[in-house]
Amino acid sequence: RSTLQQVAARKGSTFHFGSTYDTYDSDASFLSSVFSTYFNHVVAENGCKWDATEPTRGTSDLTECQAVQSFATKNGATFRGHNTFWHSQTPSWLPGSITASDLVNNVIPQHVQQEIQGMGTSVTSWDVVNEIVGDGVSNGMSALQCVQNKKVWPTQTSDGSSTTLVTDLSFVHAAFTTALKYAGNDTRLAINDYNTGGSDAKTACVLAVLADINANAGIPYNRLAVGFQSHISTSSFISKSALSATFAKLAALGATAMITELDIQLPSGTSAYERYQAAIWGDYLDACLYASNCNEFINWDARDDLSWLGTSAAGTLFDSSGNPKPAAYEVAARLQRY
Ligand code: G3I
């Protein structure tokens, strides 16, 4: 923690370095100890998602989300919100038989308002929309083409199982204009996605959607952020220089970059790759540390056996016995060196 305070003094702002927590995570004592000593930032792994926070239409249930925020406060940590819109983990009543205009004019504004207003203005950032850009995109696509390429509701093209609900980006604009209205003045509003960060077409699409949100929802760039989830492996990751170049593009716009869900899967869970994993972790951290516009860095799940990847992926900073791995030591060293 003291290292993070020294980083903040040199960076000129708090460096929010954290991980996920859900109240039903096993081993609360490990999590309390590691969050009070090693991390200073918390995100709910599942507790703030639509299925948890609006179980029936119009009813707000922030119990789980607020419990994670309380855990953060109890451990002297800050809290970020994930997420107010995603095609996955939606409540059973979605998408149901709602119409596009009902989704855009009522369902989304109401959900975003109730969650962001309910969680308060101290939230450092919200993933306002999560994973709305397709995986089959190509350079030069428009923001709308990028999103329609996703092939999940509400903009999926007819793929035999269902048809397009919304044929424009109004659902994105509704989410962001509502978020801007109810979030704290210092809260960054993020578009969050995976397999991004380099000079790839998906990153170009994320930047195109960001520009659309700025231009057509009127959200100022100094409130906008891009969350690079960074679920990577020792054989598939973005170089520090490519990440830094992407962060610089956002800085030039006045927008924020953040690493939101880092885990680094090992090919077969062998320790032989742990030093490689450590080097990559350090490079992702440096790309954010040395960027003027990156102050949130989240590691997805703190311990291998708690990881959504499963224990054998060995993709987190601490092993299943709670011991720091080489990556944890590398991260500490990079923070101290900053
Ligand atoms: O809460 C229920 C529990 O009541 C039930 O008994 C149990 C068994 O069915 O399931 C529990 O829900 C699970 C939930 O995690 C909470 O543990 C869901 O089945 C399971 O699908 C869900 O997985 C989460 C996944 O998102 C869902 O898509 C992972 O924990 C979570 O790490 C993962 O996180 C996502 C980010 O939100 C977005 N980016 C990708 C990342 C990895 O998929």
Side-chain angles (χ1 to χ4, degrees):
R1 269 291 181 79
S2 60
T3 304
L4 287 170
Q5 283 157 0
Q6 288 158 14
V7 166
R10 290 196 291 274
K11 211 166 168 30
S13 63
T14 304
F15 189 66
H16 303 279
F17 177 77
S19 187
T20 55
Y21 176 74
D22 274 330
T23 56
Y24 44 76
D25 277 337
S26 58
D27 204 342
S29 61
F30 162 77
L31 290 167
S32 287
S33 79
V34 81
F35 271 98
S36 54
T37 56
Y38 191 69
F39 298 124
N40 66 359
H41 200 36
V42 182
V43 63
E45 184 167 5
N46 293 287
C48 300
K49 293 172 179 175
W50 208 330
D51 59 348
T53 60
E54 193 179 354
T56 56
R57 181 170 175 173
T59 56
S60 172
D61 179 2
L62 297 177
T63 312
E64 187 57 34
C65 195
Q66 286 171 333
V68 178
Q69 187 178 45
S70 303
F71 172 86
T73 307
K74 189 165 65 119
N75 286 288
T78 44
F79 173 87
R80 79 176 303 264
H82 170 80
N83 55 64
T84 55
F85 182 93
W86 188 19
H87 64 269
S88 176
Q89 289 180 273
T90 51
S92 54
W93 54 274
L94 274 175
S97 57
I98 53 170
T99 62
S101 62
D102 191 19
L103 178 75
V104 173
N105 298 318
N106 307 313
V107 172
I108 287 179
Q110 174 181 304
H111 177 67
V112 174
Q113 174 184 349
Q114 74 177 35
E115 186 155 1
I116 290 185
Q117 200 169 30
M119 291 308 295
T121 55
S122 66
V123 179
T124 58
S125 59
W126 273 100
D127 290 328
V128 176
V129 294
N130 189 54
E131 302 178 19
I132 63 170
V133 168
D135 293 310
V137 294
S138 44
N139 279 312
M141 277 189 171
S142 70
L144 179 58
Q145 287 169 327
C146 292
V147 174
Q148 287 179 325
N149 182 270
K150 182 65 184 180
K151 293 195 174 27
V152 289
W153 83 277
T155 61
Q156 65 188 5
T157 50
S158 174
D159 58 2
S161 61
S162 55
T163 56
T164 300
L165 184 62
V166 182
T167 54
D168 57 27
L169 294 180
S170 55
F171 79 100
V172 180
H173 303 155
F176 273 88
T177 50
T178 307
L180 185 70
K181 196 170 170 189
Y182 295 101
N185 293 331
D186 297 328
T187 303
R188 292 293 185 272
L189 307 176
I191 167 173
N192 190 46
D193 225 315
Y194 60 87
N195 289 357
T196 54
S199 55
D200 52 279
K202 190 168 183 178
T203 299
C205 265
V206 166
L207 296 178
V209 174
L210 192 80
D212 176 84
I213 294 165
N214 170 258
N216 299 322
I219 313 298
Y221 273 120
N222 65 9
R223 296 298 304 277
L224 287 173
V226 174
F228 300 93
Q229 290 184 13
S230 308
H231 292 291
I232 56 178
S233 73
T234 47
S235 55
S236 171
F237 58 90
I238 306 294
S239 71
K240 180 163 74 170
S241 58
L243 270 179
S244 301
T246 301
F247 292 179
K249 283 181 190 167
L250 289 168
L253 295 170
T256 297
M258 41 185 74
I259 299 291
T260 50
E261 306 184 15
L262 182 60
D263 41 36
I264 305 181
Q265 189 161 340
L266 300 190
S268 56
T270 61
S271 59
Y273 286 81
E274 281 192 339
R275 298 209 171 282
Y276 196 22
Q277 180 187 50
I280 299 167
W281 220 298
D283 281 354
Y284 267 68
L285 178 64
D286 276 356
C288 183
L289 267 180
Y290 291 89
S292 61
N293 60 331
C294 186
N295 294 306
E296 290 193 56
F297 190 99
I298 308 282
N299 307 284
W300 204 250
D301 297 317
R303 205 174 73 185
D304 287 349
D305 59 316
L306 300 175
S307 171
W308 71 290
L309 295 168
T311 305
S312 64
T316 73
L317 288 168
F318 292 84
D319 69 22
S320 300
S321 307
N323 302 312
K325 291 154 67 178
Y329 288 109
E330 183 64 26
V331 160
R334 303 279 186 124
L335 288 168
Q336 278 153 12
R337 194 183 309 159
Y338 175 73

